[in-house]
Amino acid sequence: MENLSQDARYTLQFINQTKRNIFLTGKAGTGKTTLLKEIISTTHKNVVVVAPTGIAALNAGGVTIHSMFQLPFAGFIPENVAPQFSGSVAFETKQTLSRHFRMSGIKKAVIRNMELLIIDEVSMLRADLLDAIDFMLQSVRKKKSPFGGVQVLFIGDLMQLPPVIRDEEWKTLRQYYKGKFFFHSHVIQLNPPLYIELSKIFRQTDDIFISVLNNLRNNRISQEDIGVLNQYVKKDFDFKKNKGFITLTTHNTKADAMNTKALEELEGKLFTFSPEITGDFPEKIFPIEERLQLKEGAQVIFVKNDLSADKHFFNGKMGIVKSLSGEEIMVHFPEENKTIEVEKYEWENIRYLVNPDTKEIEEEVLGTFVHYPIKLAWAITVHKSQGLTFDKAALDVSQVFLPGQAYVALSRLRSLEGLILLSPLQMNGISNDLDVMDYAGNKANETILANSLEQETRKFLLEYLQSAFDWQDLAQEWRNHQFSYTEKSENSEKSKHAAWAKKQAGILWQIQEPARKFMSQLHALFSRETTDYQFIEERINAAYAYFFSTMDQMVYDILWKLEEVKRIKKVKAFYEELSVLEELQVKAVLRLMKARLLVKTIASRETISKEALTSHEIKNYKSNALEKIRVEFKSKNSTLIDDNADAERYTKKEKVPKELKKSTVQETYELWLEKNSVKEIAAIRKLTVQTIGGHIAKLIEAGKIAIADVLPEDKIIELRNVFNNYTEETLNPLKEKYGDKFTWDELKMFRASLNLA
C-alpha cells in the first residue's frame, strides 16, 4: 500500500472500511488495473468481478455481466409491464426478466454471499443493463436496498470506449433514460457513488504531452495544442526505414490488411501456432486470435505483462521475431539488443462458487486457453490498443468516429518523441461526450474524501457489528421450520424430529431479547460525539463470550442432525431443509467471529484487510466441527454399519476451490511435491502435458526440482554431451540435428538445469 497514490489509498480504505459505492476513474496510465488487482488480493469482503465483454472480463480476472447475472442480450425497460414491440428489437421488463432468475444453487449462493461487486470497463456499461443488475440483485437477495445491499465499485475511464446502443433500441429507451452511460441509470441517479479520480500518471512524464492529453480529455483542446501535435505529422512516413512503429487505425479491416500485407512481403517459411485449450473455454471469449501466423522478421507486440521476476516485456512492448520453429519463438528487442524466448501464457475461464466451510466466494477454473501472448504489430485498431503502452506509434486518426478515440490513441504513447501523425489532426471529431464532461464535475476533493471516510467507516462498523448480533431473520427461519411439522407429516419420518426442531427454535428465540438490548447499547456508543473504539472492543468481547457458546452449540446440533438424517432413506426434502438452516447458522457464527476481529483491528489502528479478518479458527470452524461430530457419532453408534453410500446419500460432491490464488508454476510445484506425474498434474489442473512441462523447466531453473527427478540418468548423460560447448540462443539447431531422439521438453528441461538460478 505504501507505493500507492493518496487517491488509490482512499479507494482501498473506502472498500475495506465502508459500504459506500465508488466510481473509480482516472486518465490513461494512472494505474486503475494495478489498483484493481490490489483490491482483489487484499479485501476481506466476498468479491465478484464482472465486465461488459468477455475479453474485458478475462483481462480483469472475472466473468461477464450477462453470465454472472443470467441476463439476456436485450434492452431493459425499468417497469413491470412493457408495451408491444415489433421488428428486430427485443426488450425485457421487470416482469419478464424475473423468469431468468431461476438459477443453480451455486449461482444463488454466490449472489447471496456477495459483499463487493467490481464492474470493470464501466465506460461500456449501458444504463439499462445496470438497472437490470440492480433489479436482479434485489430480487435474488430479497433486499430492497440498492444492488440488494451489495457494495459496488465501478472502474473505468468514461473518456474512452462508450456503450453501444442501436438507434432502434434508443428510440424506446430514450423514453426512460436521459442518456446511455451507467450514471444515467435510475439506481445511480437515486444513489450516486463517490467519485474518485486517480491523478498520478505513471505512463507519461513529459509535461507538455500530459497537458495536451488533459486538454483533449476535458474538451479544452486549443489551436496551440493542435499545433504541438501537428509538428509530428509525416504523411509519407517510411515504415521500412523506421522499424518498431505500430500504426493505430480506426477499423479492423484496415489493421488486418496492413498486417497481412507486411507478413506476406517477408521471405521465409510461414509458421502457424494454435492454442492449447482444455476444459470449458468458449470461442467467444478467446483473448487473442486462435491462429498466430509468423515469419522470421515479423513485427510483434506483447499483449500481457511478463509475470516472472525478469520482467522482460510488458503489455504493449514491441519486438522482432528473430527465429522460429514449431515449438520455439525467439523475439529480439533491438533497442536493448536483447533476445528472449517467448513463453506461453495461461488464460483461465472461471466461475464463482461459495466455499461450504468458510462461506467465502472463491474461484473454480472451468477451462484454460494457453497461447503465445503476442500478435502481429504493424497495425492495431484504437479499440484493441486500450490498456497497451507504446514507445513508438504512427496514428491514423483522420477518420475518428467516436468521441474519445483520439484521446485513447494518443494516450497509448509514453512521450511525444515516439509519435508520428499520418495526417494533420483536425478539431472536428475529437470532442468528448458532453454528458460525460458534466458528470466529471462530481469528483470528490481530498477534504470530502477524508470527511466521508470517517463518517462512512463509523457507519459501516456499527452496521457490521449490529448485523453480527441481529438474528431475527435466522430465528424466523427456525420458527418456520418448527411449524413445517404439520399434521400431514405426523406419521412421516420427519415428524420424529419435531421436538428437536421446537427446542432449537426456542433456544434461538430466548437470546433475541438480550441481543436486541446489546444492539441498542452499540447504537448509543456510536452516537456519542467521540467514538471510543477501545471500550467498544471490550463490550464486543463481553457479548461474544455471552452469546458464542449458544450459537456454537446450535451449529453442533444441526450438523449432528444432518449426520443422522443423511443415513435415512427417502427424506431428501427434509435433509435439504436442514441444509439451508445449517448454512444460515454457520454463516451467523462466522460473522460473529469476524466481527470480533474487525473491532480489534480498528481499535488497534491497523489496516483492515483479508489477513486481519481471518484466522485458522475461522477457516477451519466447520470442518473441525464436522470431524468432531463424525468421531462422536461413530462411537455412539458402534453397531451402525458406516456405509459410504448411506453417508453421502444426499450430499453433492462439490469441488472445494483453492484458498489462495497462487502462481501457475507454484500450483504445479505443489502437485509435484505430492508425487503426481506430469500427466496427472496436467489432468488435475486442466492444462496440457506440454504446458506442465514448461512449468517443470522453470522449476528446474529455479533450483526447486532436480533434473535427475524428471529425466532418467542415461538421458541426462546423453544431453550433457549434446549441450557441451553449445552457445546458441535457440534450441532449434539441436532439434533439427537430433530429431526425435530428444523431445522439446527434454531439451528445455536440460537447458534449464544449466541455468540454475
Side-chain angles (χ1 to χ4, degrees):
M1 192 167 168
E2 53 274 1
N3 296 324
L4 299 175
S5 67
Q6 183 59 48
D7 297 319
R9 289 170 191 246
Y10 271 125
T11 305
L12 267 176
Q13 289 173 308
F14 271 104
I15 293 300
N16 283 322
Q17 296 173 211
T18 81
K19 285 191 73 175
R20 187 70 190 269
N21 293 341
I22 305 290
F23 169 48
L24 176 69
T25 189
K27 305 174 184 70
T30 51
K32 295 184 293 295
T33 302
T34 302
L35 181 55
L36 167 61
K37 290 176 181 174
E38 179 74 11
I39 290 167
I40 293 169
S41 65
T42 61
T43 185
H44 62 92
K45 296 180 179 177
N46 275 339
V47 62
V48 166
V49 182
V50 298
T53 67
I55 302 301
L58 212 58
N59 288 333
V63 298
T64 65
I65 287 170
H66 288 87
S67 66
M68 181 68 236
F69 300 114
Q70 294 191 187
L71 299 173
F73 289 94
F76 176 66
I77 293 174
E79 290 188 354
N80 282 314
V81 181
Q84 296 297 312
F85 300 104
S86 58
S88 61
V89 185
F91 288 101
E92 297 279 350
T93 67
K94 289 183 177 180
Q95 190 179 66
T96 62
L97 195 64
S98 298
R99 70 176 185 266
H100 297 283
F101 298 164
R102 299 185 190 96
M103 54 187 65
S104 68
I106 290 173
K107 182 68 69 67
K108 268 187 182 168
V110 169
I111 290 170
R112 287 174 179 166
N113 283 276
M114 191 189 304
E115 295 170 308
L116 172 63
L117 172 64
I118 298 177
I119 306 180
D120 197 25
E121 299 292 2
V122 76
S123 70
M124 296 186 279
L125 177 61
R126 290 167 41 155
D128 60 322
L129 181 55
L130 185 56
D131 277 337
I133 294 170
D134 173 51
F135 175 63
M136 187 273 183
L137 284 169
Q138 290 192 39
S139 302
V140 175
R141 289 170 63 88
K142 298 179 181 175
K143 290 183 182 177
K144 289 301 177 187
S145 50
F147 302 108
V150 174
Q151 182 182 24
V152 185
L153 171 63
F154 304 94
I155 300 181
D157 184 356
L158 296 176
M159 305 299 179
Q160 300 195 19
L161 302 175
V164 177
I165 299 181
R166 291 179 295 160
D167 290 341
E168 57 262 49
E169 283 183 295
W170 186 238
K171 284 176 185 175
T172 298
L173 290 175
R174 68 190 303 174
Q175 299 171 41
Y176 304 93
Y177 294 100
K178 294 178 182 177
K180 58 189 176 181
F181 289 92
F182 87 98
F183 55 81
H184 289 121
S185 64
H186 293 194
V187 65
I188 294 299
Q189 293 284 308
L190 294 171
N191 308 278
L194 193 64
Y195 189 129
I196 299 179
E197 181 171 341
L198 299 179
S199 54
K200 184 179 179 182
I201 297 174
F202 296 96
R203 183 175 292 150
Q204 292 94 13
T205 55
D206 179 345
D207 290 340
I208 295 174
F209 191 28
I210 289 172
S211 174
V212 171
L213 288 174
N214 284 343
N215 290 341
L216 181 61
R217 175 186 173 85
N218 297 322
N219 270 4
R220 293 199 303 264
I221 193 155
S222 64
Q223 288 294 345
E224 184 182 348
D225 294 325
I226 296 290
V228 168
L229 294 172
N230 282 342
Q231 293 176 50
Y232 298 91
V233 174
K234 291 186 180 179
K235 294 181 181 179
D236 302 318
F237 185 68
D238 190 337
F239 287 94
K240 290 182 179 178
K241 289 182 180 177
N242 297 276
K243 302 291 186 183
F245 276 84
I246 186 170
T247 300
L248 269 68
T249 187
T250 48
H251 292 82
N252 272 316
T253 50
K254 194 168 185 179
D256 291 344
M258 291 174 73
N259 284 323
T260 301
K261 183 174 183 293
L263 187 65
E264 287 174 351
E265 288 177 353
L266 289 176
E267 296 180 1
K269 182 181 176 183
L270 179 70
F271 285 83
T272 301
F273 302 91
S274 298
E276 300 159 21
I277 302 169
T278 52
D280 179 15
F281 206 106
E283 185 177 348
K284 63 184 178 182
I285 64 166
F286 283 2
I288 53 176
E289 286 79 7
E290 187 173 4
R291 289 201 323 154
L292 171 65
Q293 292 195 312
L294 297 174
K295 291 180 182 177
E296 286 187 14
Q299 185 165 285
V300 294
I301 184 173
F302 285 82
V303 297
K304 299 299 293 184
N305 294 328
D306 185 356
L307 297 178
S308 75
D310 300 322
K311 306 299 178 192
H312 288 309
F313 55 87
F314 54 83
N315 193 1
K317 189 173 179 71
M318 309 272 288
I320 304 294
V321 174
K322 186 175 181 180
S323 67
L324 281 170
S325 69
E327 295 290 336
E328 191 180 60
I329 301 173
M330 306 297 290
V331 169
H332 183 66
F333 304 122
E335 293 178 2
E336 303 162 55
N337 193 26
K338 179 173 73 176
T339 301
I340 67 165
E341 180 185 353
V342 183
E343 294 180 345
K344 291 182 179 179
Y345 190 91
E346 297 159 29
W347 285 269
E348 294 178 341
N349 179 30
I350 66 161
R351 71 167 176 171
Y352 291 104
L353 42 74
V354 175
N355 185 305
D357 292 344
T358 65
K359 308 306 177 189
E360 292 178 351
I361 293 177
E362 296 175 336
E363 298 172 8
E364 179 188 6
V365 177
L366 299 176
T368 56
F369 178 99
V370 181
H371 211 339
Y372 292 105
I374 55 175
K375 60 194 300 183
L376 293 176
W378 285 284
I380 191 171
T381 61
V382 175
H383 183 106
K384 290 180 180 176
S385 75
Q386 194 161 350
L388 302 180
T389 301
F390 303 129
D391 290 315
K392 297 190 286 189
L395 273 56
D396 177 14
V397 291
S398 57
Q399 300 176 23
V400 170
F401 61 91
L402 286 174
Q405 276 210 317
Y407 170 73
V408 173
L410 286 162
S411 62
R412 300 306 94 205
L413 278 155
R414 289 189 186 276
S415 71
L416 286 168
E417 292 176 10
L419 172 65
I420 294 294
L421 287 175
L422 298 178
S423 60
L425 196 65
Q426 304 295 323
M427 287 291 284
N428 60 316
I430 60 172
S431 64
N432 286 310
D433 194 293
L434 291 177
D435 284 352
V436 171
M437 300 307 301
D438 288 342
Y439 186 61
N442 294 318
K443 67 182 177 186
N445 60 38
E446 189 164 341
T447 303
I448 292 173
L449 290 175
N451 292 337
S452 181
L453 180 61
E454 185 179 346
Q455 294 168 11
E456 295 285 347
T457 297
R458 185 188 299 186
K459 181 182 174 184
F460 168 72
L461 183 58
L462 173 59
E463 288 181 2
Y464 195 98
L465 295 178
Q466 286 193 312
S467 71
F469 293 91
D470 182 2
W471 302 308
Q472 288 190 49
D473 290 346
L474 179 59
Q476 189 58 52
E477 289 292 338
W478 273 105
R479 283 174 69 84
N480 293 344
H481 179 69
Q482 176 191 344
F483 291 114
S484 70
Y485 294 79
T486 60
E487 292 179 4
K488 291 180 183 177
S489 63
E490 274 184 10
N491 298 318
S492 69
E493 185 63 42
K494 177 180 174 180
S495 66
K496 298 175 185 177
H497 307 273
W500 172 85
K502 183 178 180 182
K503 179 186 173 186
Q504 296 304 108
I507 290 170
L508 191 56
W509 207 254
Q510 284 172 9
I511 63 172
Q512 291 307 296
E513 187 57 31
R516 275 194 293 270
K517 286 181 179 178
F518 179 66
M519 285 189 286
S520 297
Q521 285 180 32
L522 279 177
H523 194 272
L525 289 172
F526 277 89
S527 298
R528 294 176 181 175
E529 193 170 331
T530 304
T531 308
D532 186 345
Y533 290 116
Q534 301 286 346
F535 183 64
I536 289 172
E537 183 184 11
E538 290 176 17
R539 298 305 307 137
I540 290 293
N541 287 337
Y544 183 89
Y546 180 84
F547 291 111
F548 182 77
S549 57
T550 301
M551 295 292 286
D552 181 51
Q553 184 61 43
M554 289 194 70
V555 169
Y556 180 90
D557 289 344
I558 194 165
L559 288 175
W560 180 281
K561 183 60 65 177
L562 282 166
E563 193 71 21
E564 182 183 343
V565 171
K566 71 184 181 183
R567 288 176 165 78
I568 303 169
K569 294 180 179 179
K570 298 181 180 178
V571 289
K572 184 180 180 183
F574 180 40
Y575 181 87
E576 288 175 350
E577 287 175 40
L578 293 174
S579 296
V580 170
L581 283 170
E582 174 268 323
E583 182 174 345
L584 294 171
Q585 191 68 43
V586 170
K587 193 174 174 182
V589 171
L590 291 174
R591 192 166 184 84
L592 194 60
M593 297 167 82
K594 195 172 172 182
R596 188 169 62 150
L597 291 180
L598 176 62
V599 75
K600 178 186 175 185
T601 303
I602 290 181
S604 305
R605 297 184 179 279
E606 295 173 1
T607 302
I608 299 175
S609 65
K610 186 183 292 183
E611 289 73 22
L613 299 193
T614 192
S615 65
H616 182 76
E617 184 186 16
I618 289 174
K619 285 182 178 178
N620 298 287
Y621 173 75
K622 183 179 172 182
S623 57
N624 287 344
L626 281 171
E627 185 58 32
K628 180 181 176 185
I629 284 166
R630 283 166 185 158
V631 171
E632 292 183 9
F633 193 89
K634 284 183 182 179
S635 67
K636 290 185 179 181
N637 297 275
S638 55
T639 58
L640 189 71
I641 298 172
D642 190 11
D643 184 347
N644 285 335
D646 283 348
E648 304 299 328
R649 178 175 282 114
Y650 306 119
T651 55
K652 293 178 183 175
K653 291 196 174 181
E654 291 183 0
K655 243 182 231 175
V656 178
K658 302 172 285 292
E659 282 185 22
L660 295 172
K661 189 79 173 172
K662 304 181 181 78
S663 76
T664 185
V665 176
Q666 179 64 22
E667 288 186 38
T668 292
Y669 181 50
E670 290 179 6
L671 289 168
W672 175 268
L673 291 178
E674 294 172 7
K675 307 299 183 187
N676 290 292
S677 67
V678 170
K679 283 186 179 179
E680 288 167 340
I681 295 171
I684 293 168
R685 296 211 52 211
K686 295 190 176 76
L687 291 168
T688 64
V689 170
Q690 186 181 17
T691 300
I692 299 302
H695 294 175
I696 298 296
K698 286 184 179 180
L699 290 164
I700 290 170
E701 188 169 358
K704 291 186 174 181
I705 294 179
I707 187 71
D709 293 335
V710 185
L711 300 179
E713 188 178 353
D714 58 339
K715 185 74 72 173
I716 293 172
I717 293 169
E718 286 181 309
L719 285 164
R720 192 174 290 126
N721 292 329
V722 165
F723 274 87
N724 188 32
N725 296 323
Y726 188 76
T727 57
E728 294 285 328
E729 290 175 323
T730 172
L731 292 173
N732 197 41
L734 286 182
K735 184 62 178 167
E736 288 181 349
K737 181 178 179 180
Y738 292 98
D740 294 336
K741 185 173 183 180
F742 304 110
T743 66
W744 275 102
D745 279 345
E746 288 169 346
L747 291 171
K748 288 180 179 181
M749 286 177 188
F750 189 82
R751 181 177 63 180
S753 73
L754 301 176
N755 300 324
L756 284 174

